[in-house]
């Protein structure tokens, strides 16, 4: 069990948390949610002891071990991968290193023998003999192949490092597990493995995530941060959303009835307070009026952008034809002999682990790269708007937000352009901010404004949910569902894909394409797709 007791945290004059009291108990998984800047990651740091409170304290059941997902991806660069995972249990790792140092001594003394015996006893009690195999099992489950287990961390790419650090947090069956955005940079198999791990985990979990499907799958409770307070709800994310909306509705209805009663009492008092025969009743009404208090309807700190893609013209029957398209990058065939035709109702999700193939394909379709072989042809009625995975070049200038968006608008009127910025939560003086200094989330919202103002009838989006908060993801999701044109997009957000796409395409690691008209859940459950992946994997192993 871990609990926050009257926790207050002030940053300057601002109180991020004020007298927070909350208890997290064994056997439950808590999803910690809130708007960007609400303090989700900060609260996890308070619970883990990385950050001191201004007032109050955090208590943990004596003897329990807390583990958290490290955010510094370079901290363990000099260590072996397996050792990095085992460091998740600091005491066990200390014992292993002290044992190794004692046994390496040339002048082994009686005192060394006694100490080694003590360490061996503690080592056995902590299941130390299974440490390496347990660490390997976690790594393999997350998709870190055995060939990497004995390399140093600095030799791994970013996504593999994230998986190793996640394995470190999970290692050794911690009593309390704190996870800040654990699904970031994970591929689908790793996310599915993590979901099953947490569902079967018997201790306490507190997790921050923007992935609604993930929260629905693993959470037993939701802890909602809003205006420096944390409200606890039983159930998963969807249950929280319905419950919180119902609570607001009930408060509004209760206040409406109270307001009607107040008006009725005020009218009676106004009419009869000067009437001697009614004065006693008027006085009684005054006392009743004083007792009526409206429920405080403080607006939420959450802000939802308004995302609405409206095509300037209707799309025709001829949308896109791709024939025998291939592309090799640095000697590796990324796209191999791909052919398909798009219809005017298609909303296509590109899924799978071959992200380079997806990004390369999108860049070819947008004319940024030339294919080595094959052709593609857009229909004459089509117009396209593109959300690139790497947006660095878009914002490498000194333009203000308003000027940056104006250059992409056919209508140069400042009020018109600022209307699109306002929909994306850029209000007032935000328009004069330089695009170079924007945060990741602000840049994404700028790009979405650019796509809306374009009036395109085909949208290509490469990982648009990266850097967005839950509210913006929900708004984008709803905007794409309503969009009457064609969409080609890539995303790791399960719910985003499931609710938007009616056609699934997956680039396999060899660059070939699986193309199926189906929903995402049906695709994942398809035996045919599983067989195709299995055949490919077996072929790769034979080679």
């Amino acid at each position: 069990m871990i609990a926050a007791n009257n926790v207050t945290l002030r940053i300057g004059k601002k109180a991020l948390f004020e007298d927070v009291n909350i208890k997290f108990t064994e056997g439950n998984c808590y999803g910690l949610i809130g708007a960007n800047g609400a303090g989700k990651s900060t609260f996890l740091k308070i619970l883990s002891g990385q950050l001191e409170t201004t007032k109050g304290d955090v208590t943990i059941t004596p003897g329990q071990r807390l583990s958290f997902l490290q955010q510094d991806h370079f901290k363990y660069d000099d260590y072996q991968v397996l050792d990095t995972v085992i460091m998740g249990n600091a005491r066990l790792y200390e014992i292993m290193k002290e044992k190794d140092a004692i046994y390496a001594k040339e002048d082994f003394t009686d005192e060394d023998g006694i100490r080694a015996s003590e360490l061996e006893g503690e080592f056995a009690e902590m299941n130390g003999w299974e440490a390496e195999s347990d660490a390997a099992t976690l790594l393999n489950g997350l998709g870190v192949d055995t060939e990497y287990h004995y390399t140093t961390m600095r030799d791994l790419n970013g996504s593999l490092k994230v998986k190793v650090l996640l394995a470190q947090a999970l290692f050794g069956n911690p009593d309390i597990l704190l996870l800040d955005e654990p699904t970031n940079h994970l591929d689908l198999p790793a996310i599915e493995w993590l979901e099953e791990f947490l569902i079967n985990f018997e201790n306490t979990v507190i997790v921050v995530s923007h992935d609604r499907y993930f929260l629905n799958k693993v959470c037993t409770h939701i802890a909602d941060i809003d205006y420096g307070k944390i409200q606890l709800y039983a159930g998963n994310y969807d249950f929280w959303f319905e419950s919180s909306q119902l609570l607001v509705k009930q408060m509004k209805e209760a206040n409406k009835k109270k307001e009607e009663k107040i008006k009725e009492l005020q009218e009676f008092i106004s009419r009869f307070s000067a009437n001697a025969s009614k004065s006693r009743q008027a006085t009684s009404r005054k006392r009743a009026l004083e007792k009526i208090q409206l429920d405080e309807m403080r607006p939420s700190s959450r802000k939802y952008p308004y995302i609405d893609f409206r095509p300037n013209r209707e799309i025709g029957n001829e949308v896109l034809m791709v024939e025998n398209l291939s592309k090799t990058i640095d000697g590796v065939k990324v796209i191999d002999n791909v052919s398909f035709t798009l219809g005017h109702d298609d909303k296509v999700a590109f899924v799978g682990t071959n992200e380079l193939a997806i990004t390369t394909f999108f860049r070819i379709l947008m004319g940024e790269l030339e294919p080595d072989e094959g052709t593609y042809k857009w229909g004459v009625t089509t117009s396209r708007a593109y959300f690139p995975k790497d947006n660095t070049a878009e914002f490498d200038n000194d333009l203000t937000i308003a000027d940056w968006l104006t250059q992409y608008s056919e209508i140069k009127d400042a009020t018109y352009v600022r209307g699109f910025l306002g929909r994306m939560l850029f209000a007032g003086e935000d328009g004069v901010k330089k695009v170079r200094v924007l945060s990741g989330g602000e840049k994404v919202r700028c790009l979405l404004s650019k796509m809306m103002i374009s009036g395109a009838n085909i949208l290509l989006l490469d990982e648009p949910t990266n850097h967005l908060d839950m509210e913006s993801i929900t708004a984008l999701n709803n905007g794409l569902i309503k969009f009457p044109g064609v969409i080609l997009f890539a995303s790791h957000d399960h719910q985003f894909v499931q609710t938007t796409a009616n056609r699934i395409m997956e680039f396999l690691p060899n660059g070939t394409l699986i193309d199926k008209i189906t929903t995402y859940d049906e695709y994942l459950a398809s035996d045919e797709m599983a067989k195709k992946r299995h055949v490919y994997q077996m072929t790769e192993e034979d080679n």
Side-chain angles (χ1 to χ4, degrees):
M1 183 273 292
I2 182 170
N5 309 299
N6 297 313
V7 164
T8 296
L9 178 67
R10 294 187 178 277
I11 300 175
K13 294 182 179 180
K14 180 184 177 183
L16 194 57
F17 297 106
E18 192 80 52
D19 294 324
V20 169
N21 289 281
I22 190 168
K23 183 186 294 184
F24 304 97
T25 57
E26 186 176 343
N28 293 317
C29 179
Y30 299 86
L32 191 62
I33 64 171
N36 272 4
K40 300 182 293 294
S41 296
T42 300
F43 191 68
L44 285 190
K45 288 179 180 178
I46 290 172
L47 293 178
S48 64
Q50 298 175 79
L51 195 62
E52 290 290 329
T53 62
T54 305
K55 188 183 76 171
D57 59 14
V58 173
T59 56
I60 297 176
T61 301
Q64 290 198 338
R65 183 171 70 86
L66 181 147
S67 180
F68 59 90
L69 177 58
Q70 294 280 355
Q71 299 299 315
D72 183 353
H73 295 178
F74 305 101
K75 183 175 181 179
Y76 301 95
D77 270 3
D78 294 329
Y79 293 93
Q80 193 181 86
V81 168
L82 270 179
D83 283 351
T84 301
V85 176
I86 296 171
M87 284 180 188
N89 188 334
R91 178 55 189 156
L92 178 60
Y93 186 73
E94 289 173 6
I95 293 171
M96 292 173 67
K97 291 302 158 187
E98 188 176 352
K99 278 201 323 166
D100 290 345
I102 290 174
Y103 291 137
K105 286 185 175 182
E106 294 182 2
D107 53 342
F108 192 87
T109 65
D110 290 343
E111 288 77 9
D112 289 331
I114 293 170
R115 180 57 180 162
S117 178
E118 293 171 350
L119 291 172
E120 290 289 4
E122 190 174 354
F123 184 71
E125 287 178 5
M126 299 178 75
N127 294 320
W129 296 111
E130 287 79 40
E132 287 199 5
S133 63
D134 289 347
T137 298
L138 289 171
L139 289 169
N140 289 332
L142 287 166
V144 182
D145 293 337
T146 306
E147 64 182 284
Y148 297 112
H149 293 188
Y150 295 94
T151 61
T152 56
M153 287 287 284
R154 73 171 67 253
D155 296 326
L156 302 185
N157 63 33
S159 62
L160 285 176
K161 277 187 177 181
V162 169
K163 291 180 178 182
V164 175
L165 294 177
L166 181 54
Q168 180 193 74
L170 304 179
F171 177 76
N173 194 37
D175 300 290
I176 300 161
L177 180 58
L178 309 181
L179 300 174
D180 191 356
E181 294 291 356
T183 61
N184 279 2
H185 308 292
L186 291 189
D187 49 43
L188 178 64
I191 293 174
E192 289 178 338
W193 182 91
L194 178 61
E195 287 170 354
E196 288 304 312
F197 182 94
L198 295 179
I199 288 169
N200 295 313
F201 190 70
E202 296 180 350
N203 298 330
T204 305
V205 182
I206 307 171
V207 58
V208 171
S209 177
H210 288 148
D211 188 326
R212 296 161 294 171
Y213 181 87
F214 179 78
L215 292 176
N216 278 331
K217 197 83 181 285
V218 305
C219 290
T220 61
H221 295 73
I222 295 295
D224 178 30
I225 302 178
D226 209 353
Y227 285 110
K229 301 294 183 181
I230 303 181
Q231 181 71 39
L232 199 60
Y233 295 80
N236 62 14
Y237 178 81
D238 281 350
F239 187 82
W240 162 80
F241 186 79
E242 292 171 5
S243 299
S244 59
Q245 295 298 105
L246 179 61
L247 182 62
V248 170
K249 182 180 178 182
Q250 289 174 337
M251 290 176 68
K252 286 181 177 178
E253 290 176 350
N255 276 352
K256 185 177 180 181
K257 290 180 180 178
K258 289 179 182 178
E259 287 168 351
E260 290 173 352
K261 185 65 176 177
I262 288 170
K263 184 179 180 181
E264 177 188 322
L265 292 172
Q266 287 174 336
E267 288 177 351
F268 185 92
I269 294 166
S270 177
R271 286 175 61 194
F272 298 112
S273 57
N275 188 321
S277 63
K278 298 280 188 177
S279 62
R280 183 175 295 180
Q281 290 175 294
T283 302
S284 175
R285 298 290 198 283
K286 284 181 182 179
R287 286 197 292 266
L289 181 61
E290 290 169 357
K291 291 179 181 179
I292 298 177
Q293 291 187 341
L294 297 177
D295 294 323
E296 184 182 7
M297 294 292 294
R298 193 174 189 182
S300 171
S301 59
R302 289 181 172 83
K303 294 181 180 179
Y304 289 84
Y306 178 70
I307 299 179
D308 187 21
F309 302 102
R310 296 185 181 181
N312 290 335
R313 67 182 296 185
E314 189 175 343
I315 201 166
N317 290 325
E318 293 183 3
V319 179
L320 173 66
M321 181 177 291
V322 177
E323 292 185 346
N324 308 121
L325 205 69
S326 294
K327 181 69 177 178
T328 298
I329 296 178
D330 296 331
V332 177
K333 183 161 275 192
V334 177
I335 299 172
D336 186 11
N337 197 33
V338 167
S339 298
F340 64 85
T341 301
L342 280 190
H344 59 75
D345 294 320
D346 284 337
K347 290 181 169 60
V348 186
F350 287 81
V351 302
T353 59
N354 195 348
E355 296 179 16
L356 177 58
I358 297 170
T359 297
T360 301
F361 184 66
F362 281 4
R363 292 185 66 194
I364 289 173
L365 294 182
M366 290 303 298
E368 294 182 2
L369 290 175
E370 288 292 328
D372 297 332
E373 301 172 32
T375 62
Y376 68 93
K377 182 181 179 181
W378 290 105
V380 293
T381 63
T382 63
S383 56
R384 294 161 296 285
Y386 177 44
F387 183 103
K389 189 172 187 176
D390 181 3
N391 58 42
T392 307
E394 285 271 8
F395 301 100
D396 187 18
N397 56 72
D398 291 317
L399 293 174
T400 65
I401 297 177
D403 289 342
W404 179 88
L405 186 59
T406 300
Q407 67 182 330
Y408 299 112
S409 175
E410 291 184 4
I411 301 173
K412 303 301 180 182
D413 179 70
T415 302
Y416 176 78
V417 173
R418 284 182 177 271
F420 282 89
L421 292 174
R423 295 178 190 178
M424 297 306 294
L425 308 180
F426 293 110
E429 295 182 359
D430 286 340
V432 299
K433 286 175 69 173
K434 301 283 188 179
V435 294
R436 190 186 297 278
V437 300
L438 297 179
S439 68
E442 288 173 325
K443 288 178 179 178
V444 170
R445 286 189 275 124
C446 278
L447 288 171
L448 294 174
S449 297
K450 174 186 172 183
M451 296 182 79
M452 283 194 290
I453 210 168
S454 73
N457 54 27
I458 295 179
L459 307 178
L460 295 90
L461 305 103
D462 194 357
E463 297 289 353
T465 58
N466 290 353
H467 305 295
L468 289 183
D469 58 21
M470 196 94 75
E471 292 70 41
S472 297
I473 292 173
T474 301
L476 176 57
N477 196 171
N478 292 337
L480 292 182
I481 290 170
K482 292 188 300 181
F483 180 61
V486 171
I487 307 172
L488 297 87
F489 72 100
S491 176
H492 289 294
D493 188 308
H494 187 119
Q495 187 169 337
F496 191 84
V497 176
Q498 170 62 19
T499 55
T500 304
N502 57 23
R503 185 171 177 179
I504 304 295
M505 294 189 186
E506 177 178 1
F507 279 105
L508 293 175
N510 66 351
T512 59
L513 186 73
I514 296 174
D515 178 9
K516 195 166 181 66
I517 298 175
T518 183
T519 67
Y520 189 41
D521 284 343
E522 289 170 344
Y523 176 79
L524 294 176
S526 168
D527 290 337
E528 180 187 355
M529 297 305 108
K531 287 175 184 176
K532 285 184 179 180
R533 289 196 204 93
H534 179 69
V535 168
Y536 170 74
Q537 290 164 358
M538 294 293 290
T539 304
E540 284 291 286
E541 289 170 6
D542 290 342
N543 292 337

